Amino acid sequence: SQDDSQQGIKEYKLEKDSELRFEVETDEIVELRLKEGLAEVFGTELLKSRVYKFTSLAKVAVYTWHGCSLNLKGKTEVAYISRDTPMTVYLNTHAALEQMRQQAEQEGTRGPRVMVIGPTDVGKSTVCRLLLNYAVRVGRRPTFVDIDVGQGVISVPGTIGALLIERPADIEEGFSLAGPLVYHFGATTPGANLKLYTLLVSSMAEVFNKRCMTNQRASVSGCVINTCGWIKGDGYKCITHAAKAFEVDVIVVLDQERLYNELVRDMPSFVKVVLQQKSGGVVERTRAFRSTARDSRIREYFYGFENCFYPHSFEVRFSDVEIFKIGAPAVPNSCLPLGMTPEDNQTKLVAVQPSNELSHHLLSVSLAKSKEDDLLKTNVAGFVCVTHVDMDRRVFTVLSPAPRPLPRRYLLLSEVQFMDLHQ
Ligand code: ATP
């Protein structure tokens, strides 16, 4: 109506099996409203007459199976309707997985473990979100495993995590992050420490297996594994290692025929490898955008979605903590003690003396109670960011989601840095 257009509201009418794609401009907010019919955002249904707000740089697709009309208000970078989407293919994947779950239920076995792989910017995280949402909407409790240390969605960059999904993702905020299992890796590419990466993936698979032994519903529901876009050379080895560790049944390869062929060749025949097209809506992101996205994940960890948390800032005495880095610098073979290989160095705990170099780094707060606990394979309680180091008073200041004191003594140093511009 004229009234609507005066307020900058635009209406879109979608036919069945089509989607409205839009991107929010920098520092803008776009409001979305469903007026008629049914629609979903990455597998979560929209409620009628609720207003959904999307912030700076969000890239969204509102899909409808049956047709709908939508309103958008605010400045979009682009906004267009596409009728060419792979949603039917993704729904069929869900249907096949659901059949496997029903079979597992009847036979008392475990449900499907799916891994989604492909190069960067093909929509891997989005396909994971879809499959998890569809599973939870039919009453399942799938586990989301995120081994993408670069652009993970469960925790901050430089970690891998697992999360039991109990309700569909929130349209604006994504999955509820209550009680995830998180391991410290300390860098944003698996290549930074391959031995540690594979060790953590194996360890996460063991924990998931144990959970499946005691939780029948989780076992039958299976898991969906999100991976990083590094698919060549050692990246490929990381993929095949994760597939083995989790004993995956299905691998969805997005948009890479060569990778698909390699996996068909290398995977045992009981692993079903499928090649699927990527959505034309997935937007390519530049290196700079990725780095901004990493930053905003960390910001969100401390400040909450739309700054709804107030993080704490407090001093920690050097004497109250022990900081470690995982992995000693590589040294030539000839310099290693007898019987040690260069790889052994990669999983060595190296004590770090506090210094100004800690500034802006993230520290993972390990849940280990004593040094006898395996610090590598112990999950973390959370993270703090070092904002200042005072060498004279032998204290450093941290930004922390929880008030003082730190719950444990052992901290693991991450390469990942964060500049807190709020301060
Ligand atoms: P990475 O390699 O960084 O892990 P990815 O392959 O997991 O990336 P996604 O994060 O799933 O890719 O998608 C990239 C971006 O595209 C996201 O911002 C997502 O919201 C957006 N996107 C996904 N599907 C669509 C679509 N159909 N229309 C519009 N935007 C989309």
Side-chain angles (χ1 to χ4, degrees):
S1 69
Q2 215 174 346
D3 223 31
D4 281 354
S5 65
Q6 271 167 6
Q7 289 180 26
I9 299 177
K10 255 185 112 175
E11 185 169 336
Y12 296 86
K13 282 198 172 10
L14 275 68
E15 289 172 29
K16 66 173 196 226
D17 188 26
S18 64
E19 68 186 20
L20 171 67
R21 296 171 182 161
F22 64 90
E23 286 177 47
V24 183
E25 268 190 21
T26 317
D27 297 327
E28 294 290 336
I29 289 180
V30 170
E31 295 183 359
L32 163 74
R33 233 172 93 161
L34 171 68
K35 288 194 71 181
E36 284 295 331
L38 296 172
E40 55 183 50
V41 170
F42 306 135
T44 306
E45 277 197 289
L46 291 177
L47 298 177
K48 217 175 253 165
S49 36
R50 224 208 90 172
V51 176
Y52 296 94
K53 288 187 186 159
F54 297 92
T55 47
S56 196
L57 304 173
K59 303 171 197 303
V60 188
V62 192
Y63 178 83
T64 179
W65 295 101
H66 305 288
C68 70
S69 77
L70 303 164
N71 276 354
L72 278 190
K73 184 179 164 189
K75 280 200 185 137
T76 51
E77 182 92 19
V78 286
Y80 67 96
I81 295 173
S82 170
R83 277 197 255 162
D84 182 18
T85 81
M87 288 294 283
T88 313
V89 178
Y90 300 155
L91 184 70
N92 286 339
T93 310
H94 159 71
L97 296 174
E98 189 46 31
Q99 244 171 28
M100 293 167 82
R101 293 185 189 110
Q102 281 162 3
Q103 199 179 349
E105 220 160 25
Q106 280 157 16
E107 295 173 357
T109 51
R110 66 166 180 77
R113 298 178 175 192
V114 195
M115 189 154 97
V116 180
I117 67 169
T120 49
D121 297 327
V122 288
K124 293 180 296 298
S125 313
T126 306
V127 170
C128 289
R129 180 161 163 178
L130 273 173
L131 295 175
L132 291 161
N133 272 338
Y134 289 157
V136 82
R137 278 168 64 180
V138 296
R140 302 297 179 185
R141 293 292 178 267
T143 300
F144 180 23
V145 177
D146 198 344
I147 57 173
D148 182 354
V149 287
Q151 301 275 331
V153 276
I154 292 183
S155 190
V156 299
T159 62
I160 66 171
L163 183 67
L164 187 72
I165 305 294
E166 301 189 281
R167 65 185 71 91
D170 182 88
I171 303 261
E172 296 150 325
E173 292 183 53
F175 289 112
S176 149
L177 296 180
L181 173 77
V182 179
Y183 287 131
H184 167 97
F185 177 66
T188 54
T189 158
N193 190 335
L194 283 171
K195 182 154 188 218
L196 176 64
Y197 185 76
T198 50
L199 185 119
L200 295 179
V201 169
S202 296
S203 176
M204 184 141 285
E206 272 169 41
V207 173
F208 178 56
N209 280 337
K210 274 192 199 135
R211 182 180 284 173
C212 288
M213 286 199 296
T214 55
N215 184 338
Q216 182 64 17
R217 195 167 180 195
S219 169
V220 163
S221 300
C223 69
V224 178
I225 307 168
N226 185 32
T227 57
C228 18
W230 185 33
I231 53 173
K232 296 205 177 120
D234 285 337
Y236 182 74
K237 283 188 204 150
C238 290
I239 291 172
T240 51
H241 165 264
K244 273 198 203 102
F246 277 89
E247 299 169 358
V248 299
D249 311 280
V250 180
I251 302 180
V252 176
V253 186
L254 289 176
D255 201 49
Q256 258 262 347
E257 205 170 338
R258 212 193 62 202
L259 180 62
Y260 164 76
N261 286 323
E262 280 173 342
L263 284 164
V264 170
R265 182 193 66 205
D266 297 342
M267 284 290 119
S269 57
F270 55 81
V271 179
K272 202 164 162 38
V273 186
V274 291
L275 177 65
Q276 296 185 345
Q277 77 182 95
K278 70 166 184 184
S279 166
V282 180
V283 196
E284 253 186 57
R285 291 166 297 178
T286 57
R287 195 177 267 265
F289 186 95
R290 277 169 195 284
S291 150
T292 313
R294 274 200 279 273
D295 229 50
S296 48
R297 276 235 42 89
I298 304 173
R299 180 169 311 282
E300 198 174 314
Y301 174 79
F302 289 110
Y303 287 94
F305 181 69
E306 291 186 341
N307 296 324
C308 63
F309 299 159
Y310 295 93
H312 301 260
S313 178
F314 55 84
E315 287 184 341
V316 177
R317 281 199 300 250
F318 291 178
S319 56
D320 285 343
V321 293
E322 285 177 60
I323 306 174
F324 297 96
K325 193 175 80 165
I326 304 173
V331 291
N333 266 344
S334 54
C335 304
L336 287 169
L338 208 61
M340 248 181 99
T341 67
E343 283 81 41
D344 290 332
N345 254 352
Q346 292 192 284
T347 50
K348 216 168 138 177
L349 278 179
V350 184
V352 175
Q353 296 315 317
S355 73
N356 283 320
E357 280 175 33
L358 287 182
S359 286
H360 309 303
H361 279 269
L362 291 190
L363 297 172
S364 303
V365 181
S366 174
L367 279 168
K369 287 195 180 118
S370 77
K371 247 195 275 189
E372 279 66 58
D373 285 349
D374 187 344
L375 272 168
L376 263 60
K377 289 204 228 165
T378 303
N379 50 325
V380 300
F383 311 89
V384 295
C385 178
V386 180
T387 50
H388 181 72
V389 184
D390 187 333
M391 292 307 289
D392 297 332
R393 292 175 47 237
R394 301 185 58 76
V395 295
F396 58 89
T397 311
V398 296
L399 184 69
S400 160
R404 82 175 81 197
L406 292 176
R408 296 277 202 280
R409 186 176 170 78
Y410 303 108
L411 303 172
L412 297 169
L413 175 63
S414 178
E415 269 178 24
V416 179
Q417 298 190 27
F418 174 66
M419 295 278 188
D420 186 13
L421 302 174
H422 272 73
Q423 299 234 318

